[in-house]
Amino acid sequence: FPDPQLTARYRGQLAERAPGKRWLALHLSSRVATGRWPAEKFVRLIELLSALPQLGFALFWSPGDADNPTHPGDDEKAMEILRGGSRHCVVALRTARLEELIAGLAACDAFVGGDGGAMHVAAALGLPIVALFENSDAKRRHWYPWSLPHCLLQPDTFAVEDIPVDAVYAAAVKLLV
């Protein structure tokens, strides 16, 4: 369960940036290279979804350097997305601990991200989910977010990077509108 004080802190941080917005959590990290969606695609998605004036974007990632051998992080990728989305309502929610990730996601209204721990936390919190999966029957049958609104996207290839931005945009609009 999310820590109520941490969740209130994140909700306050988001409301301070843009009161009255609905917040789409964008989680950009994956330990598996084939599970990563590129920064430029996140930026393009933000640009497209910014046409929905009620929507803001909460950016989540695994903190740290990409070359950390024990736990690679995505600080550089997050900064690239923040720079690219700077004209839009994008808020960085750096979460160093699992409790912070849970509370930060609980402050959001929906989730877009890859098949990983953050997606499963979002599912446990009941958030509508656009899940970016590698093309695998086993994953599609067993590891998808069930019992809540979701759209599972898989490319014809095995790499998440091959999922087109337009497909993620259409799935997000369908869940949000």
Side-chain angles (χ1 to χ4, degrees):
F1 295 100
D3 177 292
Q5 290 177 330
L6 275 176
T7 303
R9 186 180 88 199
Y10 286 118
R11 282 194 178 120
Q13 192 176 343
L14 295 172
E16 183 179 302
R17 173 67 191 270
K21 292 270 189 191
R22 293 179 65 204
W23 293 94
L24 178 61
L26 300 174
H27 191 272
L28 43 112
S29 297
S30 175
R31 286 188 186 194
V32 180
T34 56
R36 296 180 190 133
W37 209 47
E40 63 271 9
K41 288 190 174 187
F42 277 105
V43 171
R44 182 66 183 136
L45 179 65
I46 290 166
E47 289 171 353
L48 291 171
L49 287 172
S50 288
L52 302 172
Q54 77 280 15
L55 196 58
F57 307 93
L59 193 62
F60 295 86
W61 69 95
S62 295
D65 294 327
D67 60 358
N68 183 326
T70 56
H71 194 280
D74 282 312
D75 286 349
E76 289 178 31
K77 183 177 180 181
M79 295 308 113
E80 182 181 343
I81 293 167
L82 289 166
R83 280 190 302 274
S86 63
R87 305 189 310 273
H88 308 289
C89 188
V90 182
V91 177
L93 293 183
R94 189 177 194 279
T95 57
R97 297 182 354 257
L98 180 58
E99 297 82 14
E100 293 171 331
L101 175 65
I102 294 167
L105 290 174
C108 295
D109 299 291
F111 177 91
V112 172
D115 171 29
M119 184 209 64
H120 294 288
V121 169
L125 293 167
L127 298 179
I129 293 174
V130 177
L132 311 179
F133 270 59
E134 297 145 330
N135 191 353
S136 162
D137 283 342
K139 285 189 172 198
R140 182 173 41 248
R141 284 194 314 253
H142 300 292
W143 298 108
Y144 69 95
W146 46 271
S147 296
L148 54 97
H150 71 278
C151 183
L152 190 146
L153 299 175
Q154 294 179 296
D156 292 333
T157 66
F158 194 72
V160 165
E161 70 183 287
D162 295 330
I163 298 173
V165 174
D166 291 342
V168 179
Y169 168 77
V173 168
K174 182 179 175 183
L175 288 177
L176 293 166
V177 174

